[in-house]
Amino acid sequence: MTSPSFGAVLRAEGLRTKHTATRLYVLVGLLLTAEAAFSWKTIASRALTGWEQLVPHVVLYATGLCWPLAALIVALTVRGEADAREGGTLWRPVDPRATRRARAVVLAAALIGFVVLFVMGLLLVGALFGLPHPPVGRFAMLALTLSCQALLAGAFAYLLAPLLGVIATTLLALVVQIVATIDAESASWGLRPWCWPLHAALRYLGTHANGV
């Protein structure tokens, strides 16, 4: 019996994420955008008058949450599939390498989708509050750099989760996030790959790594 094509394996992997944390993770990006809109509508002590005021909503994610969140969702998926015996594909004529590649593609799409919905969604928030001249290019580059950071964290978790489990992988990712944030503006950031995406993102955030 011949093995299914990679396209078929990819579609099957996508279907397996239905009603799982992987699929819901993407929607969390929209929830963060909604939180930003809600806070400006009900909590903020001053009116939303400039696009710079929306940036702090991204800083915390970029400097504190990106690595652990991405690692958590990837580790949960990888370990969950391992515990479920890969959904039975181990006993079917499916190349395990194709399954792993398809899972990596689906997880990468979820990580990127989260960032895009969150960051670009803030443009919609600003528009709803009547801010003129949306900085589409700046926010697109911010989404790109933070997507790269999320993908780096996801690859880290994809490799380590089968060996270390969910909790240890997520905690290690948190440590990497802290180190990356501390070193992102150091003289030697260029020698530390875990700093590269955050260093690039700071240009579009318009802040230092400490959020100031």
Side-chain angles (χ1 to χ4, degrees), residues 18-47:
K18 191 176 182 180
H19 306 306
T20 66
T22 304
R23 187 75 63 90
L24 293 175
Y25 180 73
V26 178
L27 299 179
V28 173
L30 285 178
L31 289 178
L32 289 178
T33 299
E35 179 275 329
F38 178 80
S39 64
W40 277 109
K41 185 68 175 178
T42 63
I43 301 174
S45 58
R46 57 197 177 98

PDB file of all heavy atoms in Angstrom, residues 18-47:
ATOM      1  N   LYS A  18      -8.468  20.338  15.304  1.00  0.00           N
ATOM      2  CA  LYS A  18      -9.791  20.885  15.585  1.00  0.00           C
ATOM      3  C   LYS A  18     -10.173  20.607  17.041  1.00  0.00           C
ATOM      4  O   LYS A  18      -9.990  19.509  17.545  1.00  0.00           O
ATOM      5  CB  LYS A  18     -10.817  20.266  14.639  1.00  0.00           C
ATOM      6  CG  LYS A  18     -12.178  20.956  14.669  1.00  0.00           C
ATOM      7  CD  LYS A  18     -13.106  20.349  13.635  1.00  0.00           C
ATOM      8  CE  LYS A  18     -14.454  21.060  13.625  1.00  0.00           C
ATOM      9  NZ  LYS A  18     -15.379  20.489  12.614  1.00  0.00           N
ATOM     10  N   HIS A  19     -10.677  21.642  17.707  1.00  0.00           N
ATOM     11  CA  HIS A  19     -11.072  21.548  19.115  1.00  0.00           C
ATOM     12  C   HIS A  19      -9.896  21.240  20.033  1.00  0.00           C
ATOM     13  O   HIS A  19     -10.060  20.626  21.089  1.00  0.00           O
ATOM     14  CB  HIS A  19     -12.169  20.487  19.314  1.00  0.00           C
ATOM     15  CG  HIS A  19     -13.369  20.682  18.441  1.00  0.00           C
ATOM     16  ND1 HIS A  19     -14.068  21.882  18.399  1.00  0.00           N
ATOM     17  CD2 HIS A  19     -13.978  19.848  17.565  1.00  0.00           C
ATOM     18  CE1 HIS A  19     -15.077  21.756  17.542  1.00  0.00           C
ATOM     19  NE2 HIS A  19     -15.034  20.553  17.014  1.00  0.00           N
ATOM     20  N   THR A  20      -8.683  21.621  19.624  1.00  0.00           N
ATOM     21  CA  THR A  20      -7.504  21.421  20.463  1.00  0.00           C
ATOM     22  C   THR A  20      -6.918  22.775  20.848  1.00  0.00           C
ATOM     23  O   THR A  20      -7.308  23.823  20.325  1.00  0.00           O
ATOM     24  CB  THR A  20      -6.419  20.609  19.736  1.00  0.00           C
ATOM     25  OG1 THR A  20      -5.928  21.386  18.616  1.00  0.00           O
ATOM     26  CG2 THR A  20      -6.964  19.284  19.236  1.00  0.00           C
ATOM     27  N   ALA A  21      -5.938  22.731  21.768  1.00  0.00           N
ATOM     28  CA  ALA A  21      -5.281  23.960  22.199  1.00  0.00           C
ATOM     29  C   ALA A  21      -4.564  24.643  21.045  1.00  0.00           C
ATOM     30  O   ALA A  21      -4.447  25.868  21.020  1.00  0.00           O
ATOM     31  CB  ALA A  21      -4.298  23.646  23.325  1.00  0.00           C
ATOM     32  N   THR A  22      -4.094  23.863  20.086  1.00  0.00           N
ATOM     33  CA  THR A  22      -3.381  24.457  18.946  1.00  0.00           C
ATOM     34  C   THR A  22      -4.288  25.406  18.173  1.00  0.00           C
ATOM     35  O   THR A  22      -3.898  26.528  17.839  1.00  0.00           O
ATOM     36  CB  THR A  22      -2.882  23.354  18.004  1.00  0.00           C
ATOM     37  OG1 THR A  22      -2.071  22.440  18.736  1.00  0.00           O
ATOM     38  CG2 THR A  22      -2.069  23.952  16.859  1.00  0.00           C
ATOM     39  N   ARG A  23      -5.501  24.968  17.893  1.00  0.00           N
ATOM     40  CA  ARG A  23      -6.443  25.804  17.143  1.00  0.00           C
ATOM     41  C   ARG A  23      -6.896  27.001  17.999  1.00  0.00           C
ATOM     42  O   ARG A  23      -7.001  28.122  17.509  1.00  0.00           O
ATOM     43  CB  ARG A  23      -7.643  24.970  16.718  1.00  0.00           C
ATOM     44  CG  ARG A  23      -8.627  25.673  15.784  1.00  0.00           C
ATOM     45  CD  ARG A  23      -8.092  25.771  14.372  1.00  0.00           C
ATOM     46  NE  ARG A  23      -7.875  24.493  13.758  1.00  0.00           N
ATOM     47  CZ  ARG A  23      -8.779  23.824  13.045  1.00  0.00           C
ATOM     48  NH1 ARG A  23      -9.984  24.332  12.872  1.00  0.00           N
ATOM     49  NH2 ARG A  23      -8.481  22.666  12.483  1.00  0.00           N
ATOM     50  N   LEU A  24      -7.148  26.746  19.269  1.00  0.00           N
ATOM     51  CA  LEU A  24      -7.607  27.821  20.151  1.00  0.00           C
ATOM     52  C   LEU A  24      -6.528  28.868  20.376  1.00  0.00           C
ATOM     53  O   LEU A  24      -6.829  30.043  20.595  1.00  0.00           O
ATOM     54  CB  LEU A  24      -8.051  27.237  21.495  1.00  0.00           C
ATOM     55  CG  LEU A  24      -9.301  26.347  21.461  1.00  0.00           C
ATOM     56  CD1 LEU A  24      -9.554  25.748  22.834  1.00  0.00           C
ATOM     57  CD2 LEU A  24     -10.513  27.129  20.980  1.00  0.00           C
ATOM     58  N   TYR A  25      -5.268  28.451  20.308  1.00  0.00           N
ATOM     59  CA  TYR A  25      -4.166  29.384  20.542  1.00  0.00           C
ATOM     60  C   TYR A  25      -4.216  30.550  19.573  1.00  0.00           C
ATOM     61  O   TYR A  25      -3.931  31.700  19.949  1.00  0.00           O
ATOM     62  CB  TYR A  25      -2.832  28.642  20.422  1.00  0.00           C
ATOM     63  CG  TYR A  25      -1.624  29.509  20.647  1.00  0.00           C
ATOM     64  CD1 TYR A  25      -1.288  29.946  21.930  1.00  0.00           C
ATOM     65  CD2 TYR A  25      -0.801  29.885  19.588  1.00  0.00           C
ATOM     66  CE1 TYR A  25      -0.169  30.733  22.139  1.00  0.00           C
ATOM     67  CE2 TYR A  25       0.317  30.669  19.797  1.00  0.00           C
ATOM     68  CZ  TYR A  25       0.628  31.085  21.068  1.00  0.00           C
ATOM     69  OH  TYR A  25       1.735  31.869  21.280  1.00  0.00           O
ATOM     70  N   VAL A  26      -4.567  30.272  18.335  1.00  0.00           N
ATOM     71  CA  VAL A  26      -4.650  31.340  17.335  1.00  0.00           C
ATOM     72  C   VAL A  26      -5.664  32.388  17.772  1.00  0.00           C
ATOM     73  O   VAL A  26      -5.440  33.600  17.641  1.00  0.00           O
ATOM     74  CB  VAL A  26      -5.030  30.755  15.964  1.00  0.00           C
ATOM     75  CG1 VAL A  26      -5.153  31.867  14.933  1.00  0.00           C
ATOM     76  CG2 VAL A  26      -3.993  29.737  15.512  1.00  0.00           C
ATOM     77  N   LEU A  27      -6.775  31.932  18.329  1.00  0.00           N
ATOM     78  CA  LEU A  27      -7.834  32.853  18.725  1.00  0.00           C
ATOM     79  C   LEU A  27      -7.447  33.703  19.925  1.00  0.00           C
ATOM     80  O   LEU A  27      -8.037  34.769  20.148  1.00  0.00           O
ATOM     81  CB  LEU A  27      -9.110  32.078  19.035  1.00  0.00           C
ATOM     82  CG  LEU A  27      -9.686  31.266  17.865  1.00  0.00           C
ATOM     83  CD1 LEU A  27     -10.934  30.523  18.303  1.00  0.00           C
ATOM     84  CD2 LEU A  27      -9.981  32.178  16.680  1.00  0.00           C
ATOM     85  N   VAL A  28      -6.449  33.235  20.692  1.00  0.00           N
ATOM     86  CA  VAL A  28      -5.988  34.031  21.831  1.00  0.00           C
ATOM     87  C   VAL A  28      -5.441  35.368  21.348  1.00  0.00           C
ATOM     88  O   VAL A  28      -5.540  36.386  22.045  1.00  0.00           O
ATOM     89  CB  VAL A  28      -4.926  33.261  22.636  1.00  0.00           C
ATOM     90  CG1 VAL A  28      -4.313  34.137  23.733  1.00  0.00           C
ATOM     91  CG2 VAL A  28      -5.548  32.026  23.273  1.00  0.00           C
ATOM     92  N   GLY A  29      -4.860  35.386  20.138  1.00  0.00           N
ATOM     93  CA  GLY A  29      -4.394  36.651  19.577  1.00  0.00           C
ATOM     94  C   GLY A  29      -5.521  37.656  19.459  1.00  0.00           C
ATOM     95  O   GLY A  29      -5.353  38.841  19.753  1.00  0.00           O
ATOM     96  N   LEU A  30      -6.705  37.173  19.034  1.00  0.00           N
ATOM     97  CA  LEU A  30      -7.865  38.058  18.950  1.00  0.00           C
ATOM     98  C   LEU A  30      -8.321  38.506  20.340  1.00  0.00           C
ATOM     99  O   LEU A  30      -8.758  39.646  20.523  1.00  0.00           O
ATOM    100  CB  LEU A  30      -9.011  37.344  18.233  1.00  0.00           C
ATOM    101  CG  LEU A  30      -8.879  37.188  16.717  1.00  0.00           C
ATOM    102  CD1 LEU A  30     -10.067  36.408  16.179  1.00  0.00           C
ATOM    103  CD2 LEU A  30      -8.769  38.544  16.034  1.00  0.00           C
ATOM    104  N   LEU A  31      -8.209  37.620  21.310  1.00  0.00           N
ATOM    105  CA  LEU A  31      -8.608  37.979  22.671  1.00  0.00           C
ATOM    106  C   LEU A  31      -7.717  39.095  23.219  1.00  0.00           C
ATOM    107  O   LEU A  31      -8.191  40.006  23.908  1.00  0.00           O
ATOM    108  CB  LEU A  31      -8.537  36.753  23.578  1.00  0.00           C
ATOM    109  CG  LEU A  31      -9.600  35.682  23.342  1.00  0.00           C
ATOM    110  CD1 LEU A  31      -9.376  34.506  24.288  1.00  0.00           C
ATOM    111  CD2 LEU A  31     -10.993  36.253  23.542  1.00  0.00           C
ATOM    112  N   LEU A  32      -6.425  39.024  22.903  1.00  0.00           N
ATOM    113  CA  LEU A  32      -5.516  40.081  23.359  1.00  0.00           C
ATOM    114  C   LEU A  32      -5.851  41.410  22.686  1.00  0.00           C
ATOM    115  O   LEU A  32      -5.769  42.469  23.311  1.00  0.00           O
ATOM    116  CB  LEU A  32      -4.067  39.687  23.071  1.00  0.00           C
ATOM    117  CG  LEU A  32      -3.494  38.555  23.923  1.00  0.00           C
ATOM    118  CD1 LEU A  32      -2.074  38.236  23.496  1.00  0.00           C
ATOM    119  CD2 LEU A  32      -3.537  38.910  25.404  1.00  0.00           C
ATOM    120  N   THR A  33      -6.223  41.342  21.419  1.00  0.00           N
ATOM    121  CA  THR A  33      -6.644  42.554  20.724  1.00  0.00           C
ATOM    122  C   THR A  33      -7.915  43.118  21.361  1.00  0.00           C
ATOM    123  O   THR A  33      -8.034  44.336  21.577  1.00  0.00           O
ATOM    124  CB  THR A  33      -6.905  42.253  19.241  1.00  0.00           C
ATOM    125  OG1 THR A  33      -5.699  41.777  18.642  1.00  0.00           O
ATOM    126  CG2 THR A  33      -7.353  43.498  18.509  1.00  0.00           C
ATOM    127  N   ALA A  34      -8.856  42.232  21.673  1.00  0.00           N
ATOM    128  CA  ALA A  34     -10.098  42.670  22.320  1.00  0.00           C
ATOM    129  C   ALA A  34      -9.810  43.276  23.692  1.00  0.00           C
ATOM    130  O   ALA A  34     -10.431  44.265  24.101  1.00  0.00           O
ATOM    131  CB  ALA A  34     -11.061  41.496  22.455  1.00  0.00           C
ATOM    132  N   GLU A  35      -8.833  42.688  24.391  1.00  0.00           N
ATOM    133  CA  GLU A  35      -8.455  43.232  25.704  1.00  0.00           C
ATOM    134  C   GLU A  35      -7.920  44.644  25.570  1.00  0.00           C
ATOM    135  O   GLU A  35      -8.207  45.521  26.397  1.00  0.00           O
ATOM    136  CB  GLU A  35      -7.415  42.318  26.352  1.00  0.00           C
ATOM    137  CG  GLU A  35      -6.910  42.784  27.707  1.00  0.00           C
ATOM    138  CD  GLU A  35      -5.765  43.792  27.603  1.00  0.00           C
ATOM    139  OE1 GLU A  35      -4.994  43.714  26.628  1.00  0.00           O
ATOM    140  OE2 GLU A  35      -5.659  44.663  28.497  1.00  0.00           O
ATOM    141  N   ALA A  36      -7.120  44.880  24.529  1.00  0.00           N
ATOM    142  CA  ALA A  36      -6.574  46.214  24.302  1.00  0.00           C
ATOM    143  C   ALA A  36      -7.696  47.217  24.061  1.00  0.00           C
ATOM    144  O   ALA A  36      -7.705  48.325  24.629  1.00  0.00           O
ATOM    145  CB  ALA A  36      -5.613  46.192  23.112  1.00  0.00           C
ATOM    146  N   ALA A  37      -8.650  46.820  23.229  1.00  0.00           N
ATOM    147  CA  ALA A  37      -9.778  47.714  22.944  1.00  0.00           C
ATOM    148  C   ALA A  37     -10.601  47.967  24.205  1.00  0.00           C
ATOM    149  O   ALA A  37     -10.991  49.110  24.490  1.00  0.00           O
ATOM    150  CB  ALA A  37     -10.652  47.110  21.849  1.00  0.00           C
ATOM    151  N   PHE A  38     -10.847  46.919  24.965  1.00  0.00           N
ATOM    152  CA  PHE A  38     -11.657  47.052  26.181  1.00  0.00           C
ATOM    153  C   PHE A  38     -10.979  47.954  27.203  1.00  0.00           C
ATOM    154  O   PHE A  38     -11.627  48.799  27.840  1.00  0.00           O
ATOM    155  CB  PHE A  38     -11.901  45.668  26.779  1.00  0.00           C
ATOM    156  CG  PHE A  38     -12.692  45.692  28.057  1.00  0.00           C
ATOM    157  CD1 PHE A  38     -14.073  45.824  28.029  1.00  0.00           C
ATOM    158  CD2 PHE A  38     -12.049  45.593  29.288  1.00  0.00           C
ATOM    159  CE1 PHE A  38     -14.806  45.849  29.213  1.00  0.00           C
ATOM    160  CE2 PHE A  38     -12.777  45.616  30.464  1.00  0.00           C
ATOM    161  CZ  PHE A  38     -14.156  45.746  30.434  1.00  0.00           C
ATOM    162  N   SER A  39      -9.655  47.787  27.362  1.00  0.00           N
ATOM    163  CA  SER A  39      -8.943  48.587  28.362  1.00  0.00           C
ATOM    164  C   SER A  39      -8.959  50.066  28.003  1.00  0.00           C
ATOM    165  O   SER A  39      -9.110  50.922  28.876  1.00  0.00           O
ATOM    166  CB  SER A  39      -7.503  48.090  28.517  1.00  0.00           C
ATOM    167  OG  SER A  39      -6.775  48.270  27.318  1.00  0.00           O
ATOM    168  N   TRP A  40      -8.830  50.367  26.710  1.00  0.00           N
ATOM    169  CA  TRP A  40      -8.865  51.772  26.319  1.00  0.00           C
ATOM    170  C   TRP A  40     -10.269  52.347  26.425  1.00  0.00           C
ATOM    171  O   TRP A  40     -10.456  53.537  26.678  1.00  0.00           O
ATOM    172  CB  TRP A  40      -8.338  51.934  24.895  1.00  0.00           C
ATOM    173  CG  TRP A  40      -6.850  51.998  24.852  1.00  0.00           C
ATOM    174  CD1 TRP A  40      -5.987  51.050  24.385  1.00  0.00           C
ATOM    175  CD2 TRP A  40      -6.022  53.050  25.348  1.00  0.00           C
ATOM    176  NE1 TRP A  40      -4.694  51.439  24.551  1.00  0.00           N
ATOM    177  CE2 TRP A  40      -4.680  52.675  25.131  1.00  0.00           C
ATOM    178  CE3 TRP A  40      -6.283  54.281  25.949  1.00  0.00           C
ATOM    179  CZ2 TRP A  40      -3.606  53.477  25.500  1.00  0.00           C
ATOM    180  CZ3 TRP A  40      -5.211  55.084  26.318  1.00  0.00           C
ATOM    181  CH2 TRP A  40      -3.896  54.684  26.089  1.00  0.00           C
ATOM    182  N   LYS A  41     -11.263  51.495  26.285  1.00  0.00           N
ATOM    183  CA  LYS A  41     -12.646  51.966  26.327  1.00  0.00           C
ATOM    184  C   LYS A  41     -13.136  52.182  27.756  1.00  0.00           C
ATOM    185  O   LYS A  41     -13.897  53.110  28.032  1.00  0.00           O
ATOM    186  CB  LYS A  41     -13.548  50.941  25.623  1.00  0.00           C
ATOM    187  CG  LYS A  41     -15.011  51.368  25.497  1.00  0.00           C
ATOM    188  CD  LYS A  41     -15.164  52.530  24.541  1.00  0.00           C
ATOM    189  CE  LYS A  41     -16.629  52.875  24.321  1.00  0.00           C
ATOM    190  NZ  LYS A  41     -16.807  54.036  23.434  1.00  0.00           N
ATOM    191  N   THR A  42     -12.661  51.330  28.690  1.00  0.00           N
ATOM    192  CA  THR A  42     -13.257  51.347  30.025  1.00  0.00           C
ATOM    193  C   THR A  42     -12.312  51.689  31.163  1.00  0.00           C
ATOM    194  O   THR A  42     -12.753  52.130  32.223  1.00  0.00           O
ATOM    195  CB  THR A  42     -13.885  49.973  30.329  1.00  0.00           C
ATOM    196  OG1 THR A  42     -12.835  48.976  30.345  1.00  0.00           O
ATOM    197  CG2 THR A  42     -14.931  49.610  29.300  1.00  0.00           C
ATOM    198  N   ILE A  43     -10.988  51.480  30.955  1.00  0.00           N
ATOM    199  CA  ILE A  43     -10.051  51.613  32.065  1.00  0.00           C
ATOM    200  C   ILE A  43      -9.118  52.806  31.922  1.00  0.00           C
ATOM    201  O   ILE A  43      -8.809  53.482  32.909  1.00  0.00           O
ATOM    202  CB  ILE A  43      -9.229  50.315  32.224  1.00  0.00           C
ATOM    203  CG1 ILE A  43     -10.169  49.128  32.471  1.00  0.00           C
ATOM    204  CG2 ILE A  43      -8.235  50.447  33.370  1.00  0.00           C
ATOM    205  CD1 ILE A  43      -9.465  47.790  32.489  1.00  0.00           C
ATOM    206  N   ALA A  44      -8.658  53.057  30.703  1.00  0.00           N
ATOM    207  CA  ALA A  44      -7.632  54.086  30.501  1.00  0.00           C
ATOM    208  C   ALA A  44      -8.089  55.440  31.038  1.00  0.00           C
ATOM    209  O   ALA A  44      -9.252  55.828  30.885  1.00  0.00           O
ATOM    210  CB  ALA A  44      -7.299  54.200  29.012  1.00  0.00           C
ATOM    211  N   SER A  45      -7.140  56.147  31.668  1.00  0.00           N
ATOM    212  CA  SER A  45      -7.461  57.448  32.259  1.00  0.00           C
ATOM    213  C   SER A  45      -7.371  58.577  31.246  1.00  0.00           C
ATOM    214  O   SER A  45      -7.726  59.709  31.551  1.00  0.00           O
ATOM    215  CB  SER A  45      -6.502  57.732  33.428  1.00  0.00           C
ATOM    216  OG  SER A  45      -5.157  57.711  32.976  1.00  0.00           O
ATOM    217  N   ARG A  46      -6.869  58.284  30.048  1.00  0.00           N
ATOM    218  CA  ARG A  46      -6.792  59.306  29.012  1.00  0.00           C
ATOM    219  C   ARG A  46      -7.226  58.711  27.688  1.00  0.00           C
ATOM    220  O   ARG A  46      -7.232  57.500  27.508  1.00  0.00           O
ATOM    221  CB  ARG A  46      -5.375  59.881  28.901  1.00  0.00           C
ATOM    222  CG  ARG A  46      -4.302  58.862  28.617  1.00  0.00           C
ATOM    223  CD  ARG A  46      -2.919  59.408  28.919  1.00  0.00           C
ATOM    224  NE  ARG A  46      -1.874  58.429  28.730  1.00  0.00           N
ATOM    225  CZ  ARG A  46      -1.130  58.316  27.653  1.00  0.00           C
ATOM    226  NH1 ARG A  46      -1.339  59.141  26.629  1.00  0.00           N
ATOM    227  NH2 ARG A  46      -0.186  57.403  27.569  1.00  0.00           N
ATOM    228  N   ALA A  47      -7.594  59.568  26.777  1.00  0.00           N
ATOM    229  CA  ALA A  47      -8.105  59.104  25.490  1.00  0.00           C
ATOM    230  C   ALA A  47      -6.977  58.532  24.633  1.00  0.00           C
ATOM    231  O   ALA A  47      -5.808  58.895  24.779  1.00  0.00           O
ATOM    232  CB  ALA A  47      -8.782  60.261  24.761  1.00  0.00           C
TER     233      ALA A  47
END
